[in-house]
Amino acid sequence: MAAHLIAENRLADAIDAAVADVEPQLIAWRRDLHAHPELGNREVRTAGVVASHLRALGFDEVRTGVAVTGVVGLLRGARPGPVIALRADMDALPVEERTDVPFASKVRTTWNGEPVGVMHACGHDAHVAILMSVATVLAGLRDRLAGSVKFIFQPAEEMPPAGEEGGARLMIAEGALADPAPDAIFGLHVTSQLATGTIGYRAGPTMASSDTFRITVAGRQTHGAMPWRGVDPIVAAAQVVLGLQTIVSRQSDITREPVVVTVGAIKGGVRENIIPDSVELRGTIRTFDEAMRDDVHERVRDTAEHIARASRAGCEVCINKNYPVTVNDAELTEAMLPTLERVAGKAHVGVVPKVTGSEDFSFYQHVVPGLFFFVGITPPTQPLTSAAPNHSPLFYIDEGGLPLGVRALAHAAVDWLEAHPTAQRKQ
Ligand SMILES: [Zn+2]
Ligand SMILES: [Zn+2]
């Protein structure tokens, strides 16, 4: 693809004017969504707000109830052309808000049986408001659009409640990327690690795969004064924790990609003088390469099982594969860079380090080439090191950073459609 083709955009001025017009609504939507956060697979009100907006804009199709509460809207341009998809996630987190904004969440609910506060602590309220604004902007330009834009509003990016399915994987299973199938997909995430007015991107592996494990070390209960009469799972589990550290420090080629293995919970025993029957370890694994991901899983199993066996303890290892690596298509990333530089200014676009957090946007990228980039929302006067991270009860969005997100997605969608006049598929 010739990058110079999309360094200019015949609709650029019209897009920017429309973004300026929609800005008051963008902020109002964001504040309304922020005050009414909903957890994964429970985004009923949010989905209602989104669907009625898309219908009011005269979208050609608005599907609701996709993957429980997801909304998929289709906007056909007046002229034929390819299909580009834009995605926003809608769910909030079980976090009790501690910011002092006037529209702070006071919502409480239960999560996996526990009472919790609910907060848009990852900025998905901004993502929804941004994509609703892009819908307004592009609907106003549909007479001049060659091709279609698919708007994907996805639930449960932060994982559905225990025992439920949800998120991007289920959206795809329920046809979000079919009829019509998009030829590429874009998504963004607001981040407090970048200042307002800046865009961060990366080609190739960008965010980690995220898998969880549960290791049960089975010993034999005995009196704490007579350990030789049983099998002590506590000491065996402690050795397993240490052994797991060597998967990163001694066994993985960290010059290729980084790896993280974290044990986040140890449970076993009830009393100081009883050696318990078993100990449970829980943890998470992050990688940036699918082959390394499989390799680390195998090593976690081997390490735990063999160390436990050396103590004559039993061992059961259960690894849950959650999200794959978020990999930005290299060619697509390069092709869209002029767009990002045009909307933010070249000096305000930069390559960001890999993120060991994960994103289920990765599932879409397994089906179509995708680009997932970051938009800064920390006030320029605040040092980034002191900005509360995403998921913090103090997570704060400088709303002055949101119009750039609208411009970036709207320009990217139009640029991509204009650059692919021949990509039209049979629908
Ligand atoms: Zn998050
Ligand atoms: Zn998020």
Side-chain angles (χ1 to χ4, degrees), residues 225-243:
M226 293 172 275
W228 58 89
R229 300 279 298 268
V231 173
D232 185 349
I234 289 192
V235 172
Q239 290 175 305
V240 169
V241 172
L242 293 179

Side-chain angles (χ1 to χ4, degrees), residues 122 124 157-158 189:
C122 203
H124 299 184
E157 191 283 325
E158 307 277 7
H189 209 299

Side-chain angles (χ1 to χ4, degrees), residues 150-195:
K150 191 164 216 179
F151 289 75
I152 298 175
F153 292 88
Q154 177 211 303
E157 191 283 325
E158 307 277 7
M159 305 278 291
E164 295 182 29
E165 278 190 82
R169 184 162 30 188
L170 192 59
M171 289 291 285
I172 295 165
E174 296 194 2
L177 294 184
D179 196 25
D183 303 284
I185 185 166
F186 300 135
L188 60 74
H189 209 299
V190 294
T191 172
S192 62
Q193 293 311 296
L194 289 174

Side-chain angles (χ1 to χ4, degrees), residues 211-234:
D211 304 313
T212 50
F213 62 83
R214 195 183 65 235
I215 298 171
T216 309
V217 179
R220 201 170 67 248
Q221 188 163 325
T222 178
H223 197 295
M226 293 172 275
W228 58 89
R229 300 279 298 268
V231 173
D232 185 349
I234 289 192

